[in-house]
Amino acid sequence: MSGTFIGMPAFPKAAHGAVRDTTLRANLRHATHTIRDKRAVAVAELADWAELREAGKQIKTETLRNLDTYLVRLEEAVTAAGGTVHWAADAAEANRIVGDLVKATGESEVVKVKSMATQEIGLNEHLEAEGITAYETDLAELIVQLGEDRPSHILVPAIHRNRGEIRDIFRAEMGRWGRPAPEGLSDEPAELAEAARLHLREKFLRAKVGISGANFMIADTGTLVVVESEGNGRMCLTLPETLISVVGIEKVVPTWRDLEVFLQTLPRSSTAERMNPYTSTWTGTTDGDGPTAFHLVLLDNGRTDALADEVGRQALRCIRCSACLNVCPVYERAGGHAYGSVYPGPIGAILTPQLRGTASEVDASLPYASSLCGACYEVCPVAIDIPEVLVHLREKVAEQGGKGHRLEKAAMKAAGWVLDHPGVLAAGERAASKTRKLHPKKLPGPGARQWTESRDLPGLPTEPFRDWWKKNRSGDRPDDRTGDDA
């Protein structure tokens, strides 16, 4: 832990440069405001939104309480349907399993559905080291991959890019990865989408292995569900001969009836659509239809540890809608890269420190990357109380110590002693008032200075309040006491 105030160096350092990037801030402001305004309209159309929200919360809560039971049921159903289930305790094991499965097919290329779980474990980088090229097929993920960038949003990974930047990336990089961009490509959305379609089509038709995540897994039938807006995911899920799905263990729901709730709340909260354009489901393998081999890799990677935390476990209810990002004033100004994680924004600030722990500077700083305004909780379709978890995690970070926290603890101990001795407090107040012209406008030191970079210290009065009171309000006249208790 560094000496930065209350031990939060990583996010402030990363955000410091981001808030000065005017193009980034303009892109984020336009995109987040557009999405959240549309979402508000879509949600307002449902008279029973509050009931759906509560139902989603209860379904996920009950599932997490009995996660072991539902995961065993899921494994049995997937196996009975012709699939194979693999259990991965951490990222290294998951990467090894997937790498071995791909190599067993003899292929050196895979096409991928947008998947945060595979980003979380760094699967693309692992496959590259094994001599396997992974092609992202989601439009935004394609932009990120071609630009050698990182995703900055849960739903719209390239939200930090504008149309001109995307055009330039396509022109410069598409040819290196496959079919080049058309001559004279403009920044019109239709032209950009068509360039991506042509670029990806050859990969869909050639690939023998597809890799996906899943939005939901249905324990009763072993069915996996992916919701998307483009149809690229459907191509990855149906055309390859082998399909490998890497899914966090918290994505399971008990029944199809439970899924009904989320198919109403997820589209409206994420893309402001009444119904998701593409909802793909698959159950094991079927002769003559879709992949002939299906492997499900169930990923823990810190989720069991999060589940053990009675307050923090509610983060595992997340359905990755990204509504919390679009209303967060901190995310809007700092962007997703500042969070140092594949999970940015408010949900990332509570999920990442639980999955990775708080030993590193960046992870210890994330619970402080919030104003605690509560807007994230208000829009969450499964009612995750993100501010509550943020405060809970801040307590944990403080308990583990570090220079910043030791200084804070010493300061609080000293302040407690002074407040217990009124005479000392009064003498200190008088001394501070008499020397007020000598006081700096900014606090010294690398930690405290952050708080006065954008604000001045309040000026002290010419005399302490207790001295003023004695001179002006300490008499016995009745009018002197009027309003004293107000």
Side-chain angles (χ1 to χ4, degrees), residues 31 307 381 433 460:
L307 190 63
S433 292
L460 288 173

Side-chain angles (χ1 to χ4, degrees), residues 100-414:
D100 289 347
L101 290 173
V102 175
K103 285 187 286 186
T105 68
E107 296 295 318
S108 60
E109 294 181 342
V110 300
V111 288
K112 288 186 68 219
V113 185
K114 178 178 180 294
S115 165
M116 301 202 72
T118 60
Q119 292 171 2
E120 174 190 328
I121 63 177
L123 179 61
N124 286 11
E125 293 78 8
H126 173 79
L127 293 179
E128 182 179 7
E130 296 287 324
I132 301 166
T133 303
Y135 295 111
E136 296 289 350
T137 64
D138 174 81
L139 177 57
E141 290 288 356
L142 174 65
I143 295 166
V144 169
Q145 185 175 54
L146 292 178
E148 297 183 346
D149 202 350
R150 292 175 295 139
S152 63
H153 191 276
I154 289 176
L155 180 68
V156 194
I159 197 172
H160 56 289
R161 298 289 194 183
N162 58 38
R163 295 186 307 180
E165 292 173 314
I166 294 169
R167 175 203 59 209
D168 294 342
I169 290 172
F170 280 9
R171 286 177 174 177
E173 301 297 335
M174 269 188 169
R176 187 165 60 88
W177 287 80
R179 179 170 179 154
E183 289 291 333
L185 179 66
S186 75
D187 64 356
E188 287 300 314
E191 289 193 31
L192 295 174
E194 179 66 7
R197 186 186 72 82
L198 294 173
H199 177 80
L200 292 170
R201 182 56 56 111
E202 64 178 20
K203 293 179 170 50
F204 289 136
L205 296 177
R206 187 175 66 232
K208 302 296 184 183
V209 180
I211 296 178
S212 82
N215 295 95
F216 305 99
M217 302 181 291
I218 301 172
D220 277 357
T221 60
T223 302
L224 274 69
V225 184
V226 161
V227 295
E228 48 154 342
S229 299
E230 300 168 13
N232 293 333
R234 173 101 28 113
M235 301 284 278
C236 291
L237 297 168
T238 56
L239 293 179
E241 297 173 359
T242 299
L243 175 60
I244 304 167
S245 299
V246 182
V247 190
I249 57 176
E250 81 280 14
K251 295 295 188 71
V252 66
V253 296
T255 69
W256 278 91
R257 187 172 184 179
D258 298 320
L259 180 66
E260 176 189 355
V261 173
F262 301 112
L263 290 184
Q264 295 180 73
T265 56
L266 178 55
R268 291 176 186 267
S269 278
S270 57
T271 56
E273 294 167 302
R274 298 178 181 88
M275 181 177 179
N276 207 71
Y278 292 89
T279 301
S280 300
T281 66
W282 66 100
T283 308
T285 60
T286 303
D287 291 339
D289 183 16
T292 57
F294 169 58
H295 297 269
L296 172 60
V297 181
L298 291 172
L299 178 68
D300 188 325
N301 204 37
R303 287 159 173 79
T304 298
D305 293 336
L307 190 63
D309 188 324
E310 292 186 4
V311 176
R313 72 171 61 147
Q314 58 185 296
L316 298 178
R317 296 205 300 258
C318 177
I319 59 175
R320 308 292 192 267
C321 71
S322 77
C324 61
L325 280 71
N326 299 325
V327 298
C328 177
V330 176
Y331 174 85
E332 180 187 327
R333 288 155 179 81
H337 292 158
Y339 292 81
S341 166
V342 66
Y343 302 110
I347 187 61
I350 64 171
L351 184 59
T352 300
Q354 295 191 82
L355 297 182
R356 300 196 308 209
T358 55
S360 70
E361 285 189 342
V362 63
D363 295 321
S365 75
L366 290 178
Y368 300 97
S370 171
S371 64
L372 299 180
C373 68
C376 50
Y377 170 65
E378 295 299 324
V379 299
C380 178
V382 286
I384 301 171
D385 194 340
I386 293 178
E388 178 188 32
V389 183
L390 286 167
V391 173
H392 173 66
L393 292 175
R394 289 180 185 186
E395 293 175 356
K396 285 193 168 187
V397 172
E399 287 171 0
Q400 73 186 22
K403 183 179 178 182
H405 296 296
R406 287 195 296 270
L407 291 174
E408 183 182 33
K409 186 174 181 179
M412 291 299 171
K413 185 175 181 180

